[in-house]
Amino acid sequence: GWCACHCEHRGLGRTFGFDMKLGIHQPYFFPYFGYFHNIQAADEFVLCDQVQFAKGGWVDRNQLRANTPTGSTYIRPQLTKPSGSKFLIEELRLSPDDRWRKKLLKFIWHAYKNAQFVDEVYPFIQDLIAYQPEKLSEFNFHSVKAVCEFLGITTRLHFNAPELEEVERELDALTEAYNESMPIHRRQVRVIEFCKRKGMDTYINTIGGQELYDRESFAAHGLGLEFVKSHPIEYVQFEGKPFVPYLSIIDVLMHTGAQGARAFLDDFSMV
């Protein structure tokens, strides 16, 4: 963020001529580079596991380069999941059996042992995979935060937030109150109210959020709304092989190193 003090006078950012931006996301498993564009664009960023787990998303998997028809393959942690189809991300537990960690590290080593920056990056990834919390969300937050530090991203990261939990408890009543002045979906009420309680000026979301949030609703409550549009990044993966985009941050780091990856940090625009 631009302001190192992060403004003790919360909510007065615009008065002093700067705009405090807040982002919220689910904690992904070794996410792709665009995820870090979202963090880079914000002053404060909350990784929240108090939402329903969606099968087929990126909380419990990602992709690395591989000799397959698509040029990639999935990597996953071993989990124990609650019974039933509906549960929160926070309920996902890492398997206490460490064999999945050894297997994953072995796969990463074989896939990237000839990558240019393997000596710099492999020990870093080893340390992240060795981390042993009970919850997958804690594992993901720890690795995302470590990658941010590795890349020099200075955004303030939070794992959940008491204000968000308060809003969630009050959401039915808040939605009813907000709808007295203008029709608004509870999804937008949740974010608008959270931004107010955090003293933020603008909410930022991925470009896909244009279908979920509208500027008129945010402006009615004195807030800005912006979307992060990541520009495609390209780098040499392996000589003579076609480039496979949108792979895990692990792939980017192995081929560019921390310094090379930093050069991509501002390859996005605000829409």
Side-chain angles (χ1 to χ4, degrees), residues 244-263:
V244 181
Y246 308 120
L247 298 182
S248 163
I249 186 68
I250 294 172
D251 187 86
V252 183
L253 293 175
M254 286 289 190
H255 294 297
T256 68
Q259 192 174 344
R262 281 183 203 122

Side-chain angles (χ1 to χ4, degrees), residues 90-244:
E90 71 153 349
E91 296 179 78
L92 291 166
R93 298 289 186 269
L94 288 167
S95 169
D97 184 342
D98 251 10
R99 281 179 294 185
W100 72 265
R101 285 184 168 86
K102 291 171 185 170
K103 188 177 174 184
L104 178 56
L105 282 168
K106 190 176 179 182
F107 176 81
I108 292 169
W109 174 255
H110 283 295
Y112 293 101
K113 61 186 178 185
N114 296 320
Q116 189 177 351
F117 292 92
V118 65
D119 291 342
E120 174 195 353
V121 175
Y122 186 73
F124 172 65
I125 300 300
Q126 268 184 310
D127 286 346
L128 298 187
I129 291 173
Y131 183 54
Q132 296 186 325
E134 188 184 350
K135 296 179 182 179
L136 171 65
S137 55
E138 290 173 357
F139 178 94
N140 289 354
F141 175 77
H142 176 262
S143 60
V144 166
K145 192 169 188 290
V147 170
C148 285
E149 289 166 3
F150 201 59
L151 295 177
I153 295 173
T154 57
T155 301
R156 284 173 59 176
L157 276 184
H158 305 277
F159 183 51
N160 294 321
E163 299 93 340
L164 196 55
E165 290 169 29
E166 287 165 14
V167 170
E168 205 61 46
R169 283 195 297 271
E170 301 166 26
L171 195 55
D172 289 341
L174 286 166
T175 303
E176 197 175 320
Y178 271 57
N179 273 279
E180 285 173 9
S181 56
M182 65 184 286
I184 183 168
H185 194 282
R186 62 190 277 122
R187 177 198 303 117
Q188 299 208 95
V189 173
R190 177 190 286 119
V191 172
I192 288 169
E193 189 63 25
F194 180 51
C195 284
K196 285 181 181 180
R197 294 186 190 193
K198 287 290 286 180
M200 294 287 134
D201 303 301
T202 298
Y203 176 60
I204 64 164
N205 198 262
T206 60
I207 198 74
Q210 286 179 311
E211 297 169 15
L212 305 175
Y213 304 101
D214 68 271
R215 283 192 170 90
E216 188 184 353
S217 298
F218 279 74
H221 293 274
L223 294 168
L225 174 65
E226 294 181 11
F227 301 97
V228 182
K229 185 179 182 182
S230 288
H231 304 158
I233 66 165
E234 197 161 321
Y235 48 94
V236 176
Q237 283 169 329
F238 290 107
E239 291 290 346
K241 292 190 177 180
F243 179 74
V244 181

